[in-house]
Amino acid sequence: VMAGQPVRYAFSGIANSSNVRLDSFYWRDKLPAQVRLESVVTGTYNFPGTYKITYRVNGGEPQTLADNLSTSKNYTLAASSAALGLASDERVTEIMFVFGQAPAGFAQVEKPYLHCKAVSGLKPESFVNIADVGGTYEGVWVQAVSRWVTAVYGKPTPLPRTGY
């Protein structure tokens, strides 16, 4: 990515691939401080049902972005700071899809996406995005975590002098 440019996170492999139903099933993304959430594309899932999406701002309590969403419909939800009415010092730090029960074989059909924007003034370095998915079976949590590194590119400062 480059400072001030769009960043799109695409998610795949969200599923309950076990042979038992999981309760409290969810998937979540913890957004790095170097990006700002703009919109959420929900994707679709292979079992009929409803779910909700929550978000956290600067580590605060979860708030509902959308509720009673159909697993068979793909929604695009505005989630920018302006759309959520956030103060200038607030940012979305976490987005979570809460499904409740997920039968064995539950899986995404169409990919969900998080559309973000890299903050201005990023230095050429890298940052990590962390996503996890999980649920409970007989009161025991079963979870999987995925991490990926995003490299930041930019022009060197100062620019090299040429034309001597």
Side-chain angles (χ1 to χ4, degrees), residues 6 29 44 46 60 106 164:
D29 188 70
T44 60
N46 66 349
F106 177 89
Y164 289 103

Side-chain angles (χ1 to χ4, degrees), residues 40-145:
V40 176
V41 177
T42 62
T44 60
Y45 304 87
N46 66 349
F47 278 91
T50 59
Y51 63 100
K52 74 176 179 177
I53 300 174
T54 64
Y55 66 96
R56 286 184 192 259
V57 174
N58 297 4
E61 292 300 311
Q63 300 175 55
T64 300
L65 176 64
D67 202 352
N68 223 17
L69 301 171
S70 171
T71 55
S72 64
K73 292 183 182 173
N74 198 359
Y75 303 91
T76 299
L77 307 170
S80 67
S81 294
L84 300 175
L86 302 182
S88 61
D89 63 341
E90 293 181 312
R91 69 177 188 87
V92 175
T93 58
E94 175 182 295
I95 191 96
M96 185 161 79
F97 288 50
V98 182
F99 293 92
Q101 294 183 346
F106 177 89
Q108 73 179 69
V109 177
E110 294 177 73
K111 286 183 181 179
Y113 297 95
L114 297 182
H115 292 274
C116 301
K117 186 175 184 180
V119 298
S120 299
L122 282 181
K123 304 234 182 292
E125 55 187 25
S126 61
F127 56 87
V128 178
N129 189 340
I130 302 170
D132 64 320
V133 62
T136 60
Y137 176 67
E138 295 184 353
V140 177
W141 279 100
V142 180
Q143 294 173 294
V145 178

Side-chain angles (χ1 to χ4, degrees), residues 7-29:
V7 178
R8 183 181 79 160
Y9 291 112
F11 297 86
S12 60
I14 298 168
N16 174 9
S17 54
S18 70
N19 61 359
V20 297
R21 183 188 81 212
L22 291 177
D23 296 318
S24 304
F25 189 78
Y26 74 92
W27 76 264
R28 166 178 55 195
D29 188 70

